[in-house]
Amino acid sequence: MSTAYSAVGWNRQKKIYDGWIAAFCISYLALFISLTLLFNSEATFETILIRSTSTLAVLLLHIILSIGPLTRLNKKFMPLLYNRRHLGVTMFSFSAVHGIFGIIQFHSLSNTNPLLSLFLSNTNYGSIPAFPFQALGFFALIIFFLMAITSHDFWLHNLSPIVWKTLHMFVYAAYILVVMHVMLGVIQYEKNPVFVLILFTGSASLIILHLLAGLKERKIDKMKFKLQEDGFVYVCEADEIEDSRAKIFCIDQERIAVYRHEQKLYAIHNVCKHQGGPLGEGKIVDGCITCPWHGYQYLPHNGQSPPPFKERVSTYDVRVNHNKVWLNPIAFAEGTEREGALL
Amino acid sequence: MNNNEFYIGWMPAAPKGYAKQVTIAIVVVAVLVLALASLVSMQQKKFSNSVFEYGQLTEVTGIYQQFPVPSIKVYTQQNNGSSFITMPLVGYGKHGAEGIIRSLEEERAVSLDQKQITLKGTLIYYDGKSLLQIDKHDKPLLSIAATLSSSHQPKTKELGTVDLIGEVLDPKCYFGVMKPGRGKPHRDCAIRCIAGGISPVFYVRQQNAGPLYYLLLDEKGNKLNDFVKNYVADPVRLTARAVQVDDWIVLYVDTKKGLQRTGGLSWFKENDELIYCKPE
């Protein structure tokens, strides 16, 4: 980690990850192009380029959208999440080749500006079968573009994590636009049920993965805490929390992580300041609570990132009485020192 | 899960448990990549063997005809030279040929209609039909011969009124420049081509044979590009007076009845009054 910004903070893992991305993309394109030329030899260069890049981008988009729920369901997928931005930028690059070449192919060398032509050639906006599907792809591409150019911690800090995260949540809107772009576009020409089946399988898989991950999260959020004493809420037995690890409790719609470290319990807000990662699913490494998503770190007793980093999260009072853990859900200001509860 | 294992992206290596899981993910993605690339590429519709001789200029000698669409009637060696093919002319990009012809006529101060000329252009051909793309940058008009006798005037034959289901397409793309050159993915391009002056062609499917192609004009014989451009790529029904003009059939479309979108399923119904271009 570093406090300075560089285009890509290369390390061994990122290089391996990018190597696999390149290998998959090259394999896909090589196979698609060679099989098309072999079995459909009248194909033109333009059509092969448009179709190979678009289908690859759709495949990458499904993989990207699977990574989030997969890591919620199984933490061992975390390496895929850590480097997801590289996959996103790669997906955007192929989408851009598809989109830009499509605009050149279908709209250039005419009596109208190609970008105006995109919106004004087919104006059947009120008809589903005749709908101008290319406009849908264009708006999806704009979202991917905004995501790709802000896919860096520089923008995360300057836009603020909330704005940045909100912008990047638009990927779901872009996904819907892409599905409609395909369904109202090429599928109406190709009509082969295989294509509908592939897209349906992809969408259904994503929906199921997100529902399963949501159900898992919901279990934490729906936990009931009935016992209260002086503003403290009974949450669990002390030995339920493993050393250097935490348990997450959702009280009054706030998620709080209670960590066990060196025979003490500490409570901090569960949401990492970097990208909203679940701090309670992290681990104490070198005396610091370490976020499982991107390795951002906080000191357990004050919720502050160790210098020179400046991130801070809220802290909470926690106490232990006869092995019972009691938590006060009223947050202290971010970075406030709390001494923790001795076990 | 081993509690001691914890993944941090900025560390040099992932713990063994994580690395194993990622290896499984890599294998799954590899299978997906190979399966999808194979499936998607091989399940595409077959592309036509239409030809656009891009970058290759051909000299064509024949009789220029302004009507029904700008075209050149080229006699072949078959049947003692009495056979011919009428090649509609198109311009560069998504433009018709009328502008270029007009400027050539102004340049030479002569009407080219019904004159034997030699043009240099790019051939487009498929399914028994040919077109010629001419580009002013290529200086396409090589020569003009004298006005011809009336024996070369187009032969016309009334075929009656027809009611047809088909698709309006731009012939330049369909007969060679793009693949696919018709249908929904190509709709915007076809609209631009027709809006740019390329004469539209009506494409009619047959159940057990190849498609039929008709030139489209309005009931008075005028161009109807603006009238049809919003119906491009949709199955539509039209009513028209059909007239065979040499080796093309021209549909004089009843614009009062207009074009009616019929929905995709209508493609599978047989047109019950197909008309064919028959040699005299």
Side-chain angles (χ1 to χ4, degrees):
Chain A
M1 288 180 71
S2 164
T3 53
Y5 296 114
S6 58
V8 181
W10 291 109
N11 61 27
R12 182 175 166 273
Q13 289 197 58
K14 279 188 180 170
K15 285 176 184 170
I16 294 171
Y17 192 91
D18 286 1
W20 279 109
I21 294 176
F24 284 140
C25 292
I26 291 167
S27 304
Y28 185 93
L29 294 176
L31 195 60
F32 188 102
I33 294 167
S34 52
L35 286 176
T36 303
L37 289 174
L38 195 63
F39 293 101
N40 214 337
S41 58
E42 298 292 345
T44 58
F45 163 78
E46 301 87 6
T47 303
I48 291 177
L49 183 72
I50 285 174
R51 292 188 174 184
S52 60
T53 51
S54 61
T55 50
L56 175 56
V58 170
L59 170 61
L60 293 177
L61 182 58
H62 279 86
I63 294 171
I64 289 165
L65 292 176
S66 304
I67 290 172
L70 277 175
T71 51
R72 308 303 300 146
L73 295 167
N74 184 344
K75 288 175 188 172
K76 288 186 178 175
F77 285 110
M78 212 57 86
L80 302 181
L81 183 80
Y82 183 77
N83 298 296
R84 188 169 51 175
R85 289 182 193 176
H86 291 210
L87 203 51
V89 173
T90 307
M91 185 274 295
F92 162 71
S93 305
F94 287 113
S95 305
V97 171
H98 166 78
I100 292 167
F101 208 83
I103 290 173
I104 293 170
Q105 168 92 334
F106 298 123
H107 299 277
S108 66
L109 302 177
S110 76
N111 57 1
T112 304
N113 175 290
L115 279 179
L116 285 178
S117 166
L118 183 67
F119 297 102
L120 300 179
S121 292
N122 178 8
T123 52
N124 291 298
Y125 289 94
S127 158
I128 289 178
F131 196 87
F133 71 100
Q134 292 185 357
L136 300 172
F138 177 81
F139 287 119
L141 187 60
I142 293 293
I143 293 174
F144 294 145
F145 171 71
L146 292 173
M147 290 175 64
I149 61 164
T150 58
S151 205
H152 196 279
D153 275 356
F154 172 83
W155 287 106
L156 177 67
H157 288 284
N158 284 287
L159 291 173
S160 85
I162 290 176
V163 173
W164 189 90
K165 193 75 187 172
T166 306
L167 170 66
H168 283 243
M169 289 301 279
F170 271 91
V171 70
Y172 291 101
Y175 177 74
I176 293 168
L177 288 171
V178 166
V179 170
M180 299 305 288
H181 173 71
V182 176
M183 290 302 292
L184 297 177
V186 72
I187 295 252
Q188 291 193 9
Y189 173 76
E190 287 288 344
K191 291 194 168 70
N192 187 330
V194 167
F195 298 116
V196 181
L197 195 65
I198 290 171
L199 200 57
F200 175 79
T201 307
S203 298
S205 306
L206 285 180
I207 291 169
I208 290 168
L209 277 175
H210 279 79
L211 284 176
L212 289 175
L215 281 175
K216 192 179 174 190
E217 299 279 304
R218 198 176 148 86
K219 278 183 188 168
I220 296 172
D221 293 346
K222 290 291 170 187
M223 285 166 72
K224 301 282 183 199
F225 304 100
K226 291 178 182 170
L227 284 178
Q228 292 196 9
E229 202 175 272
D230 303 332
F232 281 76
V233 177
Y234 166 69
V235 287
C236 67
E237 298 295 302
D239 50 19
E240 288 179 41
I241 304 173
E242 296 175 57
D243 191 36
S244 298
R245 294 285 187 174
K247 278 196 77 149
I248 301 166
F249 306 101
C250 186
I251 306 170
D252 298 336
Q253 298 185 328
E254 284 295 342
R255 290 186 189 179
I256 302 165
V258 179
Y259 262 94
R260 183 185 190 125
H261 175 54
E262 293 176 345
Q263 293 307 304
K264 273 191 166 183
L265 293 182
Y266 300 94
I268 65 165
H269 195 229
N270 188 55
V271 181
C272 178
K273 286 291 179 182
H274 175 228
Q275 272 193 38
L279 291 176
E281 292 176 25
K283 186 184 177 184
I284 291 182
V285 177
D286 299 332
C288 291
I289 292 168
T290 306
C291 180
W293 281 12
H294 300 94
Y296 270 59
Q297 294 188 308
Y298 303 87
L299 293 165
H301 60 276
N302 59 14
Q304 297 177 15
S305 293
F309 300 99
K310 294 174 180 170
E311 285 76 17
R312 293 172 170 207
V313 293
S314 302
T315 51
Y316 299 83
D317 265 346
V318 60
R319 71 187 185 198
V320 179
N321 194 358
H322 297 104
N323 200 44
K324 292 190 187 306
V325 181
W326 295 79
L327 179 62
N328 189 332
I330 296 171
F332 287 91
E334 291 172 351
T336 303
E337 186 131 347
R338 309 308 302 159
E339 63 181 28
L342 198 61
L343 289 167
Chain B
M1 181 171 163
N2 180 355
N3 189 42
N4 291 323
E5 281 198 340
F6 184 64
Y7 172 78
I8 308 175
W10 39 261
M11 298 289 274
K16 279 184 183 172
Y18 286 81
K20 191 178 168 187
Q21 189 72 25
V22 172
T23 305
I24 293 169
I26 286 171
V27 172
V28 170
V29 174
V31 170
L32 265 179
V33 162
L34 298 178
L36 273 176
S38 309
L39 199 60
V40 175
S41 61
M42 293 175 72
Q43 292 295 322
Q44 298 173 94
K45 266 186 188 172
K46 291 285 176 200
F47 295 103
S48 73
N49 60 355
S50 60
V51 176
F52 173 44
E53 292 186 346
Y54 181 73
Q56 185 181 328
L57 295 174
T58 302
E59 288 181 18
V60 174
T61 300
I63 299 153
Y64 174 72
Q65 297 178 155
Q66 182 64 35
F67 187 83
V69 297
S71 54
I72 184 163
K73 183 175 174 181
V74 181
Y75 283 88
T76 64
Q77 298 302 316
Q78 291 172 337
N79 297 330
N80 298 323
S82 64
S83 292
F84 59 85
I85 181 168
T86 305
M87 300 165 63
L89 299 177
V90 293
Y92 178 72
K94 297 173 175 61
H95 297 278
E98 281 186 337
I100 305 167
I101 294 292
R102 203 178 306 122
S103 64
L104 290 172
E105 288 179 330
E106 284 168 7
E107 202 178 281
R108 306 284 182 111
V110 63
S111 166
L112 297 179
D113 196 26
Q114 298 303 321
K115 290 199 173 59
Q116 182 167 301
I117 61 172
T118 300
L119 286 174
K120 184 171 61 174
T122 309
L123 286 170
I124 298 164
Y125 49 90
Y126 172 59
D127 205 9
K129 299 290 185 190
S130 295
L131 290 83
L132 185 71
Q133 173 188 280
I134 52 173
D135 179 2
K136 64 180 178 184
H137 297 106
D138 296 330
K139 301 192 184 324
L141 183 57
L142 298 178
S143 65
I144 310 171
T147 307
L148 295 158
S149 69
S150 60
S151 66
H152 291 284
Q153 291 285 337
K155 289 191 173 68
T156 62
K157 182 182 173 187
E158 287 285 340
L159 300 170
T161 302
V162 290
D163 193 38
L164 291 172
I165 294 171
E167 177 182 328
V168 177
L169 50 81
D170 88 88
K172 182 176 180 180
C173 291
Y174 176 79
F175 287 110
V177 174
M178 286 199 194
K179 298 179 184 184
R182 54 163 291 269
K184 186 76 186 279
H186 182 259
R187 178 199 292 266
D188 286 22
C189 179
I191 290 172
R192 289 267 59 85
C193 286
I194 289 173
I198 293 173
S199 302
V201 160
F202 199 57
Y203 160 102
V204 174
R205 277 189 198 176
Q206 298 188 91
Q207 204 82 308
N208 300 310
L212 300 167
Y213 310 107
Y214 307 97
L215 294 172
L216 294 177
L217 293 175
D218 72 9
E219 53 270 84
K220 292 176 183 167
N222 300 315
K223 292 182 75 167
L224 77 176
N225 293 37
D226 282 345
F227 180 75
V228 299
K229 69 182 168 66
N230 288 331
Y231 297 90
V232 169
D234 277 337
V236 289
R237 180 188 294 276
L238 57 75
T239 304
R241 179 170 67 92
V243 178
Q244 182 172 336
V245 181
D246 283 343
D247 50 347
W248 280 90
I249 290 175
V250 180
L251 298 179
Y252 291 87
V253 178
D254 185 339
T255 55
K256 291 187 185 73
K257 282 193 176 176
L259 304 181
Q260 294 93 42
R261 286 196 175 86
T262 59
L265 290 175
S266 58
W267 273 117
F268 302 103
K269 293 175 191 162
E270 182 77 79
N271 277 281
D272 49 16
E273 46 184 334
L274 290 176
I275 48 169
Y276 303 89
C277 208
K278 292 172 187 162
E280 286 293 302

Short mmCIF file of all heavy atoms in Angstrom, two decimals, chain B residues 240-263:
data_model
loop_
_atom_site.label_atom_id
_atom_site.label_comp_id
_atom_site.label_asym_id
_atom_site.label_seq_id
_atom_site.Cartn_x
_atom_site.Cartn_y
_atom_site.Cartn_z
N ALA B 240 -49.40 -2.70 -54.47
CA ALA B 240 -48.70 -1.96 -55.53
C ALA B 240 -49.13 -2.44 -56.91
O ALA B 240 -49.60 -3.57 -57.07
CB ALA B 240 -47.20 -2.15 -55.36
N ARG B 241 -48.93 -1.56 -57.87
CA ARG B 241 -49.07 -1.96 -59.27
C ARG B 241 -47.70 -2.44 -59.71
O ARG B 241 -46.69 -1.74 -59.54
CB ARG B 241 -49.52 -0.76 -60.11
CG ARG B 241 -49.68 -1.04 -61.59
CD ARG B 241 -50.35 0.14 -62.29
NE ARG B 241 -49.53 1.33 -62.31
CZ ARG B 241 -48.69 1.64 -63.31
NH1 ARG B 241 -48.57 0.86 -64.36
NH2 ARG B 241 -47.98 2.74 -63.26
N ALA B 242 -47.66 -3.67 -60.23
CA ALA B 242 -46.37 -4.25 -60.60
C ALA B 242 -46.15 -4.12 -62.10
O ALA B 242 -47.04 -4.44 -62.89
CB ALA B 242 -46.32 -5.71 -60.18
N VAL B 243 -44.98 -3.66 -62.44
CA VAL B 243 -44.63 -3.52 -63.86
C VAL B 243 -43.23 -4.08 -64.05
O VAL B 243 -42.30 -3.69 -63.34
CB VAL B 243 -44.66 -2.03 -64.30
CG1 VAL B 243 -44.24 -1.90 -65.76
CG2 VAL B 243 -46.04 -1.43 -64.08
N GLN B 244 -43.13 -5.01 -65.00
CA GLN B 244 -41.79 -5.50 -65.31
C GLN B 244 -41.09 -4.50 -66.22
O GLN B 244 -41.63 -4.11 -67.26
CB GLN B 244 -41.86 -6.87 -66.00
CG GLN B 244 -40.48 -7.42 -66.29
CD GLN B 244 -40.50 -8.86 -66.78
OE1 GLN B 244 -41.44 -9.61 -66.51
NE2 GLN B 244 -39.47 -9.23 -67.51
N VAL B 245 -39.93 -4.06 -65.82
CA VAL B 245 -39.12 -3.16 -66.65
C VAL B 245 -37.80 -3.86 -66.90
O VAL B 245 -36.96 -3.99 -66.00
CB VAL B 245 -38.88 -1.81 -65.92
CG1 VAL B 245 -38.06 -0.88 -66.80
CG2 VAL B 245 -40.20 -1.16 -65.53
N ASP B 246 -37.65 -4.38 -68.12
CA ASP B 246 -36.50 -5.23 -68.44
C ASP B 246 -36.36 -6.36 -67.42
O ASP B 246 -37.29 -7.12 -67.23
CB ASP B 246 -35.23 -4.37 -68.54
CG ASP B 246 -35.16 -3.59 -69.85
OD1 ASP B 246 -35.92 -3.94 -70.78
OD2 ASP B 246 -34.39 -2.63 -69.94
N ASP B 247 -35.22 -6.43 -66.74
CA ASP B 247 -34.99 -7.58 -65.85
C ASP B 247 -35.29 -7.27 -64.38
O ASP B 247 -34.86 -8.01 -63.49
CB ASP B 247 -33.55 -8.09 -66.00
CG ASP B 247 -32.51 -6.99 -65.90
OD1 ASP B 247 -32.90 -5.80 -65.96
OD2 ASP B 247 -31.32 -7.29 -65.76
N TRP B 248 -35.98 -6.19 -64.10
CA TRP B 248 -36.45 -5.88 -62.74
C TRP B 248 -37.97 -5.74 -62.77
O TRP B 248 -38.53 -5.37 -63.79
CB TRP B 248 -35.85 -4.57 -62.24
CG TRP B 248 -34.44 -4.66 -61.73
CD1 TRP B 248 -33.30 -4.50 -62.46
CD2 TRP B 248 -34.02 -4.91 -60.38
NE1 TRP B 248 -32.20 -4.63 -61.66
CE2 TRP B 248 -32.61 -4.89 -60.36
CE3 TRP B 248 -34.68 -5.16 -59.19
CZ2 TRP B 248 -31.86 -5.10 -59.22
CZ3 TRP B 248 -33.93 -5.37 -58.04
CH2 TRP B 248 -32.54 -5.35 -58.06
N ILE B 249 -38.59 -5.99 -61.65
CA ILE B 249 -40.00 -5.64 -61.50
C ILE B 249 -40.08 -4.41 -60.61
O ILE B 249 -39.44 -4.36 -59.55
CB ILE B 249 -40.82 -6.79 -60.90
CG1 ILE B 249 -40.92 -7.93 -61.92
CG2 ILE B 249 -42.22 -6.33 -60.49
CD1 ILE B 249 -41.59 -9.17 -61.39
N VAL B 250 -40.82 -3.43 -61.07
CA VAL B 250 -41.00 -2.21 -60.30
C VAL B 250 -42.36 -2.25 -59.63
O VAL B 250 -43.36 -2.55 -60.27
CB VAL B 250 -40.90 -0.96 -61.20
CG1 VAL B 250 -41.09 0.31 -60.37
CG2 VAL B 250 -39.57 -0.92 -61.93
N LEU B 251 -42.38 -1.99 -58.34
CA LEU B 251 -43.65 -1.91 -57.61
C LEU B 251 -44.00 -0.45 -57.42
O LEU B 251 -43.25 0.29 -56.76
CB LEU B 251 -43.54 -2.60 -56.25
CG LEU B 251 -43.24 -4.10 -56.24
CD1 LEU B 251 -43.14 -4.62 -54.81
CD2 LEU B 251 -44.30 -4.88 -57.01
N TYR B 252 -45.10 -0.03 -58.04
CA TYR B 252 -45.60 1.34 -57.85
C TYR B 252 -46.51 1.28 -56.63
O TYR B 252 -47.68 0.88 -56.73
CB TYR B 252 -46.35 1.82 -59.09
CG TYR B 252 -45.43 2.03 -60.29
CD1 TYR B 252 -45.12 0.98 -61.15
CD2 TYR B 252 -44.86 3.28 -60.56
CE1 TYR B 252 -44.28 1.16 -62.24
CE2 TYR B 252 -44.02 3.47 -61.65
CZ TYR B 252 -43.74 2.41 -62.48
OH TYR B 252 -42.90 2.61 -63.55
N VAL B 253 -45.98 1.64 -55.51
CA VAL B 253 -46.65 1.41 -54.22
C VAL B 253 -47.82 2.37 -54.04
O VAL B 253 -47.72 3.57 -54.32
CB VAL B 253 -45.65 1.58 -53.05
CG1 VAL B 253 -46.34 1.39 -51.71
CG2 VAL B 253 -44.50 0.61 -53.20
N ASP B 254 -48.93 1.79 -53.58
CA ASP B 254 -50.10 2.59 -53.24
C ASP B 254 -49.81 3.28 -51.90
O ASP B 254 -49.95 2.69 -50.84
CB ASP B 254 -51.32 1.66 -53.12
CG ASP B 254 -52.61 2.44 -52.88
OD1 ASP B 254 -52.52 3.60 -52.42
OD2 ASP B 254 -53.68 1.87 -53.13
N THR B 255 -49.36 4.53 -51.96
CA THR B 255 -48.94 5.21 -50.72
C THR B 255 -50.14 5.62 -49.86
O THR B 255 -49.97 5.90 -48.68
CB THR B 255 -48.08 6.45 -51.04
OG1 THR B 255 -48.82 7.29 -51.92
CG2 THR B 255 -46.76 6.06 -51.66
N LYS B 256 -51.33 5.66 -50.48
CA LYS B 256 -52.51 5.99 -49.66
C LYS B 256 -52.80 4.84 -48.69
O LYS B 256 -53.17 5.06 -47.55
CB LYS B 256 -53.73 6.27 -50.54
CG LYS B 256 -53.59 7.57 -51.33
CD LYS B 256 -54.88 7.90 -52.06
CE LYS B 256 -54.68 9.12 -52.94
NZ LYS B 256 -53.85 8.80 -54.15
N LYS B 257 -52.64 3.61 -49.18
CA LYS B 257 -52.80 2.45 -48.29
C LYS B 257 -51.60 2.34 -47.35
O LYS B 257 -51.70 1.81 -46.25
CB LYS B 257 -52.93 1.16 -49.10
CG LYS B 257 -54.30 0.94 -49.71
CD LYS B 257 -54.42 -0.48 -50.21
CE LYS B 257 -55.82 -0.74 -50.74
NZ LYS B 257 -55.94 -2.07 -51.32
N GLY B 258 -50.48 2.82 -47.81
CA GLY B 258 -49.29 2.83 -46.97
C GLY B 258 -48.69 1.45 -46.78
O GLY B 258 -49.06 0.48 -47.44
N LEU B 259 -47.75 1.37 -45.85
CA LEU B 259 -47.12 0.10 -45.50
C LEU B 259 -47.64 -0.29 -44.12
O LEU B 259 -47.72 0.55 -43.24
CB LEU B 259 -45.59 0.23 -45.45
CG LEU B 259 -44.89 0.75 -46.71
CD1 LEU B 259 -43.38 0.78 -46.48
CD2 LEU B 259 -45.20 -0.13 -47.90
N GLN B 260 -47.98 -1.54 -43.96
CA GLN B 260 -48.46 -2.00 -42.64
C GLN B 260 -47.47 -3.00 -42.06
O GLN B 260 -47.13 -3.98 -42.73
CB GLN B 260 -49.83 -2.68 -42.75
CG GLN B 260 -50.96 -1.77 -43.18
CD GLN B 260 -51.17 -1.80 -44.68
OE1 GLN B 260 -51.13 -2.84 -45.28
NE2 GLN B 260 -51.38 -0.62 -45.28
N ARG B 261 -47.00 -2.70 -40.84
CA ARG B 261 -46.13 -3.68 -40.16
C ARG B 261 -46.99 -4.90 -39.84
O ARG B 261 -48.09 -4.79 -39.33
CB ARG B 261 -45.58 -3.11 -38.85
CG ARG B 261 -44.51 -2.07 -39.07
CD ARG B 261 -43.72 -1.82 -37.80
NE ARG B 261 -42.62 -0.91 -38.09
CZ ARG B 261 -42.74 0.42 -38.08
NH1 ARG B 261 -43.88 0.97 -37.76
NH2 ARG B 261 -41.70 1.17 -38.38
N THR B 262 -46.44 -6.07 -40.13
CA THR B 262 -47.24 -7.29 -39.97
C THR B 262 -46.79 -8.13 -38.80
O THR B 262 -47.44 -9.11 -38.45
CB THR B 262 -47.14 -8.15 -41.24
OG1 THR B 262 -45.77 -8.47 -41.42
CG2 THR B 262 -47.69 -7.43 -42.44
N GLY B 263 -45.66 -7.80 -38.18
CA GLY B 263 -45.17 -8.64 -37.08
C GLY B 263 -44.36 -9.79 -37.64
O GLY B 263 -44.57 -10.23 -38.77
#
